[in-house]
Amino acid sequence: MNGGDGPPRSGDQIIHDGDGPVHEAERITRPEALQVLSKRQLAILPIGATEQHGPHLPLGTDTFMATEVARRVAARTGALLFPALSVGYSWVWRDIPGTLGIGEATLKQVIKDIAHNLHRQGLRMLVLLNGHGANESALKYAVRELADEVATKILYFSYFNHFGEAEKEVIQSPKWHGMIHACEEETSLLLAVKPELCHMERAVKEYPEVPPVYGVSALPLGSLSESGVYGDATLATAEKGEKLIQAAVDRITDIIETTWKEV
Amino acid sequence: MNGGDGPPRSGDQIIHDGDGPVHEAERITRPEALQVLSKRQLAILPIGATEQHGPHLPLGTDTFMATEVARRVAARTGALLFPALSVGYSWVWRDIPGTLGIGEATLKQVIKDIAHNLHRQGLRMLVLLNGHGANESALKYAVRELADEVATKILYFSYFNHFGEAEKEVIQSPKWHGMIHACEEETSLLLAVKPELCHMERAVKEYPEVPPVYGVSALPLGSLSESGVYGDATLATAEKGEKLIQAAVDRITDIIETTWKEV
Amino acid sequence: MNGGDGPPRSGDQIIHDGDGPVHEAERITRPEALQVLSKRQLAILPIGATEQHGPHLPLGTDTFMATEVARRVAARTGALLFPALSVGYSWVWRDIPGTLGIGEATLKQVIKDIAHNLHRQGLRMLVLLNGHGANESALKYAVRELADEVATKILYFSYFNHFGEAEKEVIQSPKWHGMIHACEEETSLLLAVKPELCHMERAVKEYPEVPPVYGVSALPLGSLSESGVYGDATLATAEKGEKLIQAAVDRITDIIETTWKEV
Amino acid sequence: MNGGDGPPRSGDQIIHDGDGPVHEAERITRPEALQVLSKRQLAILPIGATEQHGPHLPLGTDTFMATEVARRVAARTGALLFPALSVGYSWVWRDIPGTLGIGEATLKQVIKDIAHNLHRQGLRMLVLLNGHGANESALKYAVRELADEVATKILYFSYFNHFGEAEKEVIQSPKWHGMIHACEEETSLLLAVKPELCHMERAVKEYPEVPPVYGVSALPLGSLSESGVYGDATLATAEKGEKLIQAAVDRITDIIETTWKEV
Amino acid sequence: MNGGDGPPRSGDQIIHDGDGPVHEAERITRPEALQVLSKRQLAILPIGATEQHGPHLPLGTDTFMATEVARRVAARTGALLFPALSVGYSWVWRDIPGTLGIGEATLKQVIKDIAHNLHRQGLRMLVLLNGHGANESALKYAVRELADEVATKILYFSYFNHFGEAEKEVIQSPKWHGMIHACEEETSLLLAVKPELCHMERAVKEYPEVPPVYGVSALPLGSLSESGVYGDATLATAEKGEKLIQAAVDRITDIIETTWKEV
Amino acid sequence: MNGGDGPPRSGDQIIHDGDGPVHEAERITRPEALQVLSKRQLAILPIGATEQHGPHLPLGTDTFMATEVARRVAARTGALLFPALSVGYSWVWRDIPGTLGIGEATLKQVIKDIAHNLHRQGLRMLVLLNGHGANESALKYAVRELADEVATKILYFSYFNHFGEAEKEVIQSPKWHGMIHACEEETSLLLAVKPELCHMERAVKEYPEVPPVYGVSALPLGSLSESGVYGDATLATAEKGEKLIQAAVDRITDIIETTWKEV
C-alpha cells in the first residue's frame, strides 16, 4: 500500500500488499513476468484518465485510484499488474486545458487490441480496473464483443461501484446526480492514496444547478460547476477513503476468485 | 508540481531537471495546469511500450526512457508533461507473455484523438516523445494526417534518433541490424534512469543469426534471440547512458525552441 | 395525417393526442411534410427494438412504447413524427429466436447519418424518443459527436427515465437490479397502449438470482430468467401504465419546449 | 399473430393473405416466435425508405409496399415477418424536407449485423424484401460479404423487379429512364395497399428533361422534377397495382420455395 | 508524351488519337504535367480489372479497354491521362486463379483518396473511365460522397453504357442477362484494341442456364459458365469493336465538353 | 504470353528475361493463367506510384522500375506477373500537380484485399515488388496482419533495398538523407529501363538544405527541392542502373527461392 507516509516505489518487487507481493509488469523482466503468469494466468490493467478534478485534486486522480485499487487486488490475487492506461474518455472536460481525452470508440479499440494480444499469449483471465466513470461504456461494449472473439475471460470493475455498505457508512454529503467527481467521496479516496497531491485548503463545496437538458443532450457538463467540484469536498478525510478502498478491494477480489473457479 | 518540494519518485535521484521545475499534468490541479499552459502553450506526451527487454531489463524500459527524456525536455522548456502512454505497437513480441500491445492503426488513432482534444483547448505545440522504435510509423502517419486537421503544431521525436555524435563516442559494440533493443545502448540508458530495475548480473551478449526473410516478411522477430537481447548488454554503464540522454535532450530541446519561433 | 379524419390503427383507440393532430411523416406527402416543418422545424424519431419480453408481451414492446410516447409528444408540440426504428441494440437477447439486433456502433452510425441528413434540410431540433434501455449508450455518444458536427439541436429521451414521482406512486413491486423488462412497469405500459397484444394469462413473477459476474462481465443476461420476465408482471394494469405515460409525456414536452426557447 | 382473429390495421382490408396466417414478429411473444421458427427457420425483413413521392403519395410509400409484399409472401411461406426498416439510402432526396436517409455503407452494415444475429439463432433462410430501388446496392454487397460469414442463406428481392409479364400488361405509360418513382406504376401499387393515403386529385404527369450528366455524375436528381413525380401518375388504378403485387408475390414465393429445397 | 514521335506500344497501331497528342502522366515529367494541366485542369483515370474473360481474351481485357477509350478521350479533350487502375471489384470471379480483386468499399476509398488528392492540386474536372461493370457501384457512391467533399467536378463513365445506337447496329447476338462479358461485344472491342492478345480460335458460344437465385442471392456467377464466356464470342470482329469504341468516345467527349462549360 | 514471339513493348529492348518467359497476367487468358499457377503457385505484384521525379524523369518512374524488376524476377522464378498498382502513398508530393496519391491505410487495405483474394485461390506465395519508398510502411503492416489471416506466404521487397555491394560500387554521389529520389541512383535505374522517357539534358544536381523539423514533423518535403531532384542526377548512366537492377534481381530471386523451400 501507498497510503499515508508514502513508502518509496523503487524496489517495489518486495512490496507485500496483503497476502503477497505486487508484480508490476513494467518493473519486472521477461523471465519474471513469465514466472508470475506461470503460477497464475491472471492480469490486471488499470484504466484511468487525465482530467480536471477541481482546485484541490490532481488531474491524474482517476489513474492514481485505478492503480491503487488494482495494486491491492493484484497483491491479493497474485495477478500480473500492468501499467495504467492514463488516457480515457473525457468528453465532458474536453475544453478544459490539461484534459487528455480519446474517443469512446478509440478507447474500446485499445481494450480490444490488448485483450486480443493477451489471448494470444494464453492468458486465462484479464481484469480491467477502471477508475473513471465515463470509461465504463467503452469497457462494457469491448468486453461484450470480446466474449465472441477471445478465450480469455474478461472482468471489468469500476471500483467505485463496489463500495457496498461502506459508502453509506462513511459518506455524509449527498451525491450530485449520482456522480462522484472531486466530491467528499473522491477526495477522501485520494487522500488515502496520494495525500501529498491533495490541496485541502482549496477544497470547496459546490452543487451546481442542473439545466433541464442535463442527461438528454450533449450538454457541456464542464461548464456547470465553476470550481470543477460536484459535491462537498470539504468533508473528505483519508480515513473515509481508506474504508471505501478496502471495501472495494474485498468485493472485487471476491468476484475474481469466485469467477476464476468457473472459468 | 514536482519541482523542488514534492516527494521524490524512485529513480528521480539522478534527474537533472535543468532550468526549471517539471509540471507533471497527472500530479497538478486544474488551476495549476491552466497556469502552466498560460505561460506557454506547449505540452509533451511520452509514448512507450510494455514488452520484453531481455533477462535484465524491465518490460517498461521504453516507457521509462520516454518519460525521463520527456521530463528533462519539459524542465528545459516549461512544457506541461502528460503521463506516458505505456502501451504501444509491440507486434514482434506479441506472443511473449507480458507484452501489452495494440495495433498500429489503433495507436495512430489514439494520437489523433489526443491531438484533436488538445487542439480544441488551444494548445500551440504538442511534442510526442517516443521511446519505442516500432511506434514510429503510427506517429509519423498520425502527424501527417493531423497537419490538415488541427492548428496545433506537432513534433514527434524517437529520442534514440537524436544522440548525434554522442552515440559513436560512447557505444562500443555494433548494433544488430540497426536495432536498439536490450543491447549495450539501451541497457546503458536504463542504467542511468532506473538502475534499481536493471539486473546486470543477467546481462548477456547475443547477436542472433538473421534468416533471409528478415525485413521482407512477417517474420516473428521475437523468436530470433533466445535471450531477448540483440547486441552486447554486458558493456553497458550508467555513464554511457547519461551522456546519450543529455545529447538527446539538448538536440530535442533545440529543435523545439527553433520550431517554436516559427509557429 | 392521422389527426381526426384518418382511419384508426389498431390500439390507437386510447391515444390522447392532446392539443393537436399527429403528423406522421410516413403517412403524409411531400407538400404536407414541408408545411409541418415550415410551421416548426422540429421532428421526433422513435427508436425501439425487436426482442423477447417474456411469455406475455410482444417482441415489439419497445417499439410500440417509443412510438406511442413519441406520438403524444408530437401531438403536443406539432413536431413531425418519423416512423420508428424497430431494430436496436439487443445484445443480451441475441441468442433468443426472434431477436433482431444490430451492433452498438452500427446503431450510433444510423443515428448520426439521420441527424446529418436532417441537418442538411435545416431542421432546428431533433428529438430521439427511445423505448429500449440498451439503446441509450449508442444514442448518448452519437449525440455528443453530433454536437460538433451539425447545427440541429438534438435531445434524446429514454421515456422510462422520465416518470418522475408517478413511478413511485403506481408501481408496487421492486425493480430487478434497476431494470425495467417485462415486469409490472413495462407490462402496465403496454397494457395502456396495445392491450390486444398483451397475454396477461401468461404473465408471471420472476426475480432471477444474480451471479457474481453480473454487471462486470459479458454475462449472457438472457439465460438468467427462465420466463424472460424480470420482476412481477402479474401486478400490471393499464391504469398504472397510462399514468406513467402521461407523466413522461408531460416532462418530455416540458423539456423540449424549454430547450426550444434557448436554441 | 394477425391472421384471422387479430384486429385489422388500416389498409389491411384488401390484403389476401393466401394460405396461412401472418406471423408478425413485432406483435407476437417469445414462445410464439419460437414456435413459428420451429416449424420453419425462415424469416422476412421488409426494407423501405422515408422520402418524397410527389404531391399525392406518402413519404412511407416504399416501406408500405415492402411491408405488404413481405406480408403476403410470409402468409404463403409461413415465414416470421420482421417489422420493416423504414429508413433507407435516400441520397437523391436528401435535401427535401422529410427525407430520412442513411448512408449506403451504414445500410449495408445494418443488414450485416442483423444477418449475423439471426445466424447465431440458427435461422436457415433470411429474405430481404426491398421496396426502394436505391437500397439495392447496399443489399447486394451485404449479401455477398455475408456469403462468406454466415450459414444463413440470404435472398434479397426488390419486389418491383419481379412483376414479370404483368408489368407490360397493365402499365400504359413509359418509365422515366427505367425508374419507378411516384409514377403510374408506383401509384397503382400504393392504391392497392393504402388507398386512404393516396391523394389522386393531386396526381400529375411529369417527365423531367434529363441533363447530359445524368447517370455519370452526382447529379441532384431531386431537382429534376418539379412535382417529384417521374412519369404519369394520373393513369394509376388500384386494380393495376393489385395485379402487379400478385405477380411479384407469386414469383418471389416460387424462388424462395425452390431455393429452400436446395439449402 | 506519346503523341507522334514516341515509340509505339503493342496494340497502339490502330489508335486514332483524334485532334491532339495524348499526355500520359506516367510517361511525362513534372514540368510537362504542369504544362498540360495549366492549359486545362482536366484529368482522366482509367479503371479496369484483372479477371477471367474466357479461353480467348486476356485477363486484362477491362483495363485495356478502359485505357484505350480513355486515351482517345484524352486525345480529344487535352486531358492528362493517368495510368489505369488495373485492380477492381471482381467478386464473382474471386475463386478463379488469376483474378486480382479488391473489395467494393476498398475500391470506393481508392477513388475517394485520389479525388481528394487531385482536389488539393486544384484540378477542375476528373473523369473516371471505367472498363468493368462491377466497378460501377463503387464509383457511383464514391462520386456522390465526393460531391460534398471536394470542389473538383467528377464524371464517371462505364464506356460500354455509351454506345448508343451503334450497339444495335453492329451486335448480332443477344446479351446474356444484360451482361457484357467475353461475348460478341466485348471480344469485338478487344479485337479492335489488342488483336495480338485475342485467341479467336478458342472463342466459343455459351449461354449458361440461369438458376432461380440469380440476381437475388450471392450466387457464384463464376460457376455458371463452363468456358467463362457469356454470349457468342465467335461472332466478334475488330470492325464491330471499332465502331462501338468510336461511338462511346464521341458521346463521352460530348458530355465532358458540355459539362465543362457549366462547371 | 510475352516470352519470345510477342510484340515488344517500348523499353523492352534491354530486358534480360533470364531463364524463362514472363507470364503477364494481364496479357494471358484464363486457361493460361491456370497453367502457369499449376506449375508453381507463385505470383508477383509490382507496386509503384505516380509522382514527380524532377524535370528529367517521368511521373511513372516508380511504377516502371517496380514492373521491370518484377518482370525479371518473374522470368527467373516462373511466377505469374500481375499488372502494377500505379497509385501509391505519395503524401509528400500531394500538392504537386500530377501526383496520384492514396492514403497509407487505403494502400494497406488494397494489399490486404488482394492477398485475401489470392489466398482463396490457393496461392502459395505472393511477392510484393515495391518501387516506391513511401509505400513500404503500408506493405509492412499489411503483411504482418495478413500473417494471421491467410495461408499464402507473403514477401515484400523494396527493390532499392537489395542492391547490396553493387550500390557502393557504381554510385558516386552521396544520398540526400538516405533518400533515393530522382538522383544519380534512380536516374541510372530508369536510364536502364526506359531511356526514351529520360530527359538527361534537364538533369540537375540539387541537395536541398534541411530545416530542423525534417523527420520530426509533417514537413512538406515537396517544397524543399526547387527542381524535385534530391542528389546529383547528372552523374547517372544506364550502365550503373543495369548493374544495380541485376544485383537486386539476383538477391530477390535468391530470397524467394530460399523461402519457397521452407513454406
Side-chain angles (χ1 to χ4, degrees), chain B residues 94 137 148 156 213 216 259, chain F residues 94 137 148 155-156 213 216 259:
Chain B
R94 70 197 159 132
S137 180
D148 293 336
Y156 63 98
V213 292
V216 300
T259 310
Chain F
R94 69 196 159 131
S137 180
D148 292 337
L155 299 182
Y156 62 99
V213 292
V216 301
T259 309

Side-chain angles (χ1 to χ4, degrees), chain B residues 89 91-92 94 104 108 134 137 141 143-144 147-148 153-157 162 212-213 215-218 255 258-259, chain F residues 89 91-92 94 104 108 134 137 141 143-144 147-148 154-157 162 212-213 215-218 255 258-259:
Chain B
Y89 177 70
W91 191 87
V92 297
R94 70 197 159 132
E104 187 231 359
K108 185 172 138 186
S137 180
Y141 295 108
V143 170
R144 286 187 170 183
D148 293 336
K153 175 75 179 181
I154 309 180
L155 299 182
Y156 63 98
F157 298 95
H162 298 274
V213 292
V216 300
S217 73
I255 297 174
T258 306
T259 310
Chain F
Y89 177 69
W91 192 87
V92 298
R94 69 196 159 131
E104 186 231 0
K108 184 172 139 186
S137 180
Y141 295 108
V143 170
R144 286 187 170 183
D148 292 337
I154 309 180
L155 299 182
Y156 62 99
F157 298 94
H162 298 275
V213 292
V216 301
S217 73
I255 297 174
T258 306
T259 309

